[in-house]
């Protein structure tokens, strides 16, 4: 989470989203764009974590039905 706030573009790069990371870097180069880039990175990280939790829940529910 700290990485997403301090270096938003690197947060995307580490997760394998290279093109998104480059776009975020271009946005964060400007001082005004730093805040939106950081917010974007944090929201994206939270969404990715939520997607993983949802996938785990669906998989557990399917295993219980069998």
């Amino acid at each position: 989470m700290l990485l997403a706030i301090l270096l938003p573009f690197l947060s995307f790069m580490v997760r394998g989203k290279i093109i998104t990371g480059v776009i975020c870097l271009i946005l964060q180069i400007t001082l005004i764009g730093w805040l939106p880039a950081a917010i974007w990175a944090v929201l994206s990280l939270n969404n990715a974590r939520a997607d993983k939790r949802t996938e785990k829940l669906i998989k557990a529910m399917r295993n219980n039905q069998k």
Side-chain angles (χ1 to χ4, degrees), residues 1 5 10 13-14 20 23 26-27 29 31 36 39-40 43-44 46 49 53-54 56 58 61 64-66:
M1 187 64 77
I5 295 170
L10 195 56
M13 298 270 191
V14 167
T20 307
I23 294 170
I26 292 168
L27 178 63
I29 286 174
L31 188 59
I39 292 170
W40 179 24
L43 289 175
S44 175
N46 284 337
R49 288 180 179 171
R53 283 191 305 264
T54 303
K56 281 178 138 179
I58 290 172
M61 290 175 69
N64 285 337
Q65 289 178 350
K66 292 180 179 179

Side-chain angles (χ1 to χ4, degrees), residues 1-57:
M1 187 64 77
L2 189 60
L3 183 65
I5 295 170
L6 296 178
L7 298 169
F9 78 96
L10 195 56
S11 172
F12 286 112
M13 298 270 191
V14 167
R15 290 186 285 139
K17 298 182 175 186
I18 305 300
I19 296 174
T20 307
V22 170
I23 294 170
C24 188
L25 177 62
I26 292 168
L27 178 63
Q28 99 179 44
I29 286 174
T30 64
L31 188 59
I32 295 171
W34 191 279
L35 184 60
I39 292 170
W40 179 24
V42 169
L43 289 175
S44 175
L45 181 62
N46 284 337
N47 287 341
R49 288 180 179 171
D51 288 344
K52 284 184 182 180
R53 283 191 305 264
T54 303
E55 288 174 14
K56 281 178 138 179
L57 182 60

